[in-house]
Amino acid sequence: MANIAVLDMAGNKVGKITLSDAIFGIEPNAVVMHMAVVNYLANKRQGTQSTLTRTEVSGGGKKPWRQKGTGHARQGSTRAPQWRHGGIVHAPKPRDYSFSLNKKVRRLALKSALSDKLLSNSLIVLDELKLETYKTKVVADCLKAIGAGKKALIVLENNDAFAVKSIANIPGAKSAQVNTINTYDVINADTLIIVKGAVAKLEEVYA
């Protein structure tokens, strides 16, 4: 099991914590992580794009010229794809891009991402993130003190409205909870910051 320092909001070491190998100590599976990222991005796609085929463009009912004898290529409609204002070939239509991954694959992908952050020294355990009101500057100063990267994912123990709103005001920073954390956000973050109380919940759910 890995031991990692616990920092306070000022960046000072206030203790140590032992992380479970079942979550933070596995061999990262790149293939499964890739599958999880593709799944996440596909499920976010709206799929509302729509253009018109030649049958849906208005007009074009009359044959432009007779079939033979003009010297032109034969044409049946001015709404064929090769014409200006014509329809689109294989026009994109509304569709659902989403697909599902089974639970074991999703859990393995998340564990792989968490383990990868620990291996790359991009994981920070924070003693607590306690705010009395909405204070973006307090969170920004905290991120600077603990040495977080430009893109930081902060995993909170509970849905603290003060913390969530304050984090949301910082460019590149994002908050999550144990039940909303996903592989894409973990991989996309330069630094993964987990509040100490959330570590226990993660190990309880995923270990």
Side-chain angles (χ1 to χ4, degrees):
M1 292 190 176
N3 290 320
I4 186 171
V6 178
L7 307 180
D8 62 10
M9 294 179 66
N12 301 315
K13 294 182 180 179
V14 292
K16 283 190 174 183
I17 188 171
T18 302
L19 301 178
S20 171
D21 285 343
I23 300 177
F24 298 95
I26 71 169
E27 180 69 28
N29 189 321
V31 174
V32 172
M33 285 194 289
H34 177 262
M35 289 170 59
V37 169
V38 171
N39 173 249
Y40 177 84
L41 295 176
N43 291 349
K44 286 191 69 175
R45 294 185 69 173
Q46 291 184 335
T48 55
Q49 75 279 30
S50 182
T51 54
L52 304 180
T53 64
R54 63 181 294 170
T55 62
E56 296 167 322
V57 179
S58 62
K62 181 183 178 183
K63 188 174 175 66
W65 50 74
R66 66 179 189 267
Q67 181 80 348
K68 300 173 72 65
T70 64
H72 295 302
R74 53 195 174 190
Q75 301 290 328
S77 170
T78 57
R79 295 301 180 262
Q82 72 271 21
W83 284 74
R84 184 166 179 263
H85 300 308
I88 303 298
V89 181
H90 305 307
K93 291 296 179 183
R95 55 167 287 193
D96 181 14
Y97 289 92
S98 66
F99 65 96
S100 61
L101 292 176
N102 66 55
K103 187 176 180 180
K104 285 185 178 180
V105 172
R106 284 186 277 113
R107 290 170 75 99
L108 177 58
L110 181 58
K111 290 178 183 180
S112 295
L114 294 173
S115 298
D116 183 63
K117 286 299 178 188
L118 181 61
L119 286 172
S120 60
N121 296 319
S122 302
L123 174 64
I124 297 173
V125 176
L126 196 63
D127 184 38
E128 62 177 358
L129 185 61
K130 193 172 184 180
L131 302 175
E132 301 297 333
T133 183
Y134 301 106
K135 279 291 182 181
T136 301
K137 186 177 185 303
V138 173
V139 179
D141 289 343
C142 172
L143 294 178
K144 185 177 180 180
I146 64 178
K150 289 185 177 180
K151 292 189 290 184
L153 176 64
I154 305 172
V155 183
L156 303 171
E157 182 178 1
N158 47 47
N159 187 18
D160 183 348
F162 292 146
V164 171
K165 288 287 183 68
S166 299
I167 293 168
N169 287 332
I170 302 173
K174 187 173 183 179
S175 65
Q177 295 175 58
V178 175
N179 61 339
T180 62
I181 189 173
N182 63 78
T183 304
Y184 175 81
D185 286 340
V186 174
I187 293 175
N188 189 49
D190 295 327
T191 309
L192 174 63
I193 303 161
I194 308 178
V195 176
K196 186 178 179 181
V199 173
K201 288 188 176 182
L202 273 172
E203 293 179 348
E204 181 182 345
V205 174
Y206 294 102

